[in-house]
Amino acid sequence: MTSRVFSGIQPTGQITLGNYLGALKQFVALQDQADAFYCIVDMHAITMPQDPSQLKERIKDLASLYLAVGLDPQKSTLFVQSDVSAHSELGWILQCLVHMGELSRMTQFKEKGEGKEAVSAGLFTYPALMAADILLYQSHLVPVGEDQKQHLELTRDLAIRFNTRFGDTFTIPDIMMIKQGARIMSLDDPSKKMSKSNPNPGSRIEMLDPPDVIRKKISRAVTDSDRVVRFDPEEKPAVSNLLTIFSLVTDKSIEEVVAAYDGKGYGDFKKDLGEALVAHLSPIQNRYAEIRNSGEIERLLQLGAEKARATAATTMDIVRQHVGLGS
Ligand code: TYM
């Protein structure tokens, strides 16, 4: 049996190099080995306030980026979460299984809710919807960045709890994280992860940043106190983060990159990193522009939704039966 892969990205803001290296790039690698479902999780996006017309556009932007980085709709199923109502249905059932205490321990909820006057109940129960996304497709493997690890552990716990209480229903999914790159850090502060919601745009590379912006952001990225290009995440977190990025966009090992800058300062290293990023991202950006203007996206997403609905319906029939729901 081919294994089933599932993952999702929120259509909120500009997709960053962190999203790409931690998640999207793995999506592409996996599509040749597995039956992959990649989702645009718009229902998760509305756990925070969104402008409706902007959200609609961002869904299409993200779908175009999925294709531009190399996802092939012949190989992978690409779809929008809200097009498949089973996500909400199973999400509710799992909300009735998850404990308040478990949700309260989620660090992402604490971070996103911090300092806000009012936080939606949806932001709190968000991990139950994420578990539903994964479990609906009987997924074996979920490629994500490090910040989603806790949600994946909860998903596994919920699948086991459900199977124990109601009988075998769900495949227990495994998390898949790349060794280096599952947590790309901010360019202005290597103690924080690179994030689309950081108010400082200089803290991140966005996938659609023009070449000169990329070069400038890298030249301004913080470095560590000595002048040596060396990989040491403890002592030199800023340079180690840049080395990780360099290695991933050039497909060279970190050792190779370090060796190439032996005896050279940060100037040459950052200049070359800027160029390596431009060389890697430019073809993606060119494809993106073509795809986004092609008018093909809606049709592709409809096809993806049909396939996802059929797969999800099979799981939901069993779930309803096992829980005792329906007439
Ligand atoms: P989201 O939209 O915040 O991020 C999408 C993916 O990008 C990864 N990521 C990073 N990886 C490395 N370094 C970074 N700095 C970095 N920032 C983000 C995230 O770990 C993620 O893999 N809850 C999810 C979306 C979701 C989902 C799912 C994922 C909903 N349902 C089911 C997998 C399976 C989220 O908000 O990701």
Side-chain angles (χ1 to χ4, degrees):
M1 197 180 66
T2 42
S3 61
R4 172 71 48 76
V5 165
F6 183 96
S7 199
I9 298 184
Q10 294 196 54
T12 48
Q14 293 298 324
I15 299 302
T16 70
L17 187 68
N19 297 128
Y20 173 64
L21 297 178
L24 262 176
K25 199 159 172 270
Q26 323 315 314
F27 296 3
V28 180
L30 284 165
Q31 70 177 346
D32 289 317
Q33 308 157 26
D35 180 18
F37 282 69
Y38 296 125
C39 189
I40 295 171
V41 292
D42 55 346
M43 305 282 281
H44 278 108
I46 63 165
T47 57
M48 305 285 267
Q50 302 295 335
D51 173 79
S53 50
Q54 196 179 45
L55 179 59
K56 266 243 169 298
E57 290 307 307
R58 283 182 168 168
I59 290 169
K60 283 185 252 166
D61 293 345
L62 181 52
S64 306
L65 193 64
Y66 271 1
L67 296 172
V69 298
L71 288 179
D72 176 351
Q74 304 290 335
K75 296 181 185 167
S76 308
T77 306
L78 310 179
F79 72 104
V80 180
Q81 188 185 29
S82 65
D83 281 340
V84 184
S85 55
H87 289 251
S88 311
E89 193 179 352
L90 184 59
W92 175 254
I93 294 169
L94 296 179
Q95 277 184 57
C96 298
L97 196 73
V98 71
H99 303 154
M100 298 281 283
E102 289 171 317
L103 294 173
S104 317
R105 283 195 287 278
M106 295 292 121
T107 52
Q108 187 167 303
F109 170 71
K110 289 185 205 160
E111 281 163 22
K112 287 198 175 176
E114 209 175 14
K116 301 245 162 41
E117 218 170 88
V119 171
S120 73
L123 188 66
F124 186 61
T125 61
Y126 172 125
L129 180 61
M130 178 163 162
D133 299 340
I134 296 165
L135 300 181
L136 266 180
Y137 299 90
Q138 306 292 352
S139 313
H140 300 99
L141 209 57
V142 185
V144 282
E146 210 253 349
D147 61 350
Q148 298 302 316
K149 188 165 170 244
Q150 205 186 18
H151 292 158
L152 252 295
E153 282 161 3
L154 181 63
T155 300
R156 288 170 57 89
D157 288 347
L158 291 179
I160 293 167
R161 189 174 306 159
F162 191 102
N163 287 356
T164 310
R165 194 171 298 176
F166 299 108
D168 238 6
T169 309
F170 296 125
T171 304
I172 314 297
D174 283 318
I175 184 169
M176 194 198 130
M177 280 192 298
I178 45 164
K179 241 177 160 181
Q180 300 295 343
R183 191 172 177 82
I184 298 292
M185 309 312 278
S186 281
L187 300 178
D188 62 343
D189 178 354
S191 69
K192 291 199 191 115
K193 78 165 186 189
M194 185 180 282
S195 156
K196 42 189 163 187
S197 56
N198 188 318
N200 174 16
S203 68
R204 61 179 167 269
I205 302 287
E206 297 177 1
M207 290 301 284
L208 301 179
D209 273 344
D212 277 347
V213 174
I214 295 175
R215 291 185 184 106
K216 195 180 277 171
K217 285 181 177 177
I218 293 295
S219 76
R220 290 187 181 161
V222 297
T223 42
D224 308 293
S225 52
D226 64 25
R227 318 261 338 128
V228 187
V229 178
R230 181 163 58 83
F231 189 73
D232 182 345
E234 291 288 310
E235 297 292 319
K236 295 171 68 73
V239 169
S240 300
N241 186 46
L242 297 180
L243 274 168
T244 301
I245 295 172
F246 204 135
S247 153
L248 289 171
V249 296
T250 56
D251 281 328
K252 288 189 182 134
S253 69
I254 287 183
E255 293 74 36
E256 276 177 89
V257 183
V258 168
Y261 293 94
D262 187 22
K264 296 182 188 167
Y266 292 149
D268 284 345
F269 170 64
K270 284 168 103 183
K271 192 162 172 289
D272 292 351
L273 173 56
E275 293 311 321
L277 274 166
V278 168
H280 190 90
L281 295 182
S282 291
I284 295 176
Q285 295 177 348
N286 293 339
R287 279 197 297 277
Y288 175 87
E290 265 172 44
I291 294 162
R292 188 64 179 89
N293 299 323
S294 70
E296 281 289 290
I297 292 296
E298 283 90 343
R299 193 186 58 88
L300 263 172
L301 291 175
Q302 285 315 313
L303 287 175
E306 273 169 38
K307 202 173 151 209
R309 267 186 223 117
T311 309
T314 310
T315 301
M316 279 317 294
D317 282 348
I318 305 169
V319 168
R320 279 193 215 99
Q321 230 176 53
H322 283 187
V323 181
L325 295 169
S327 54

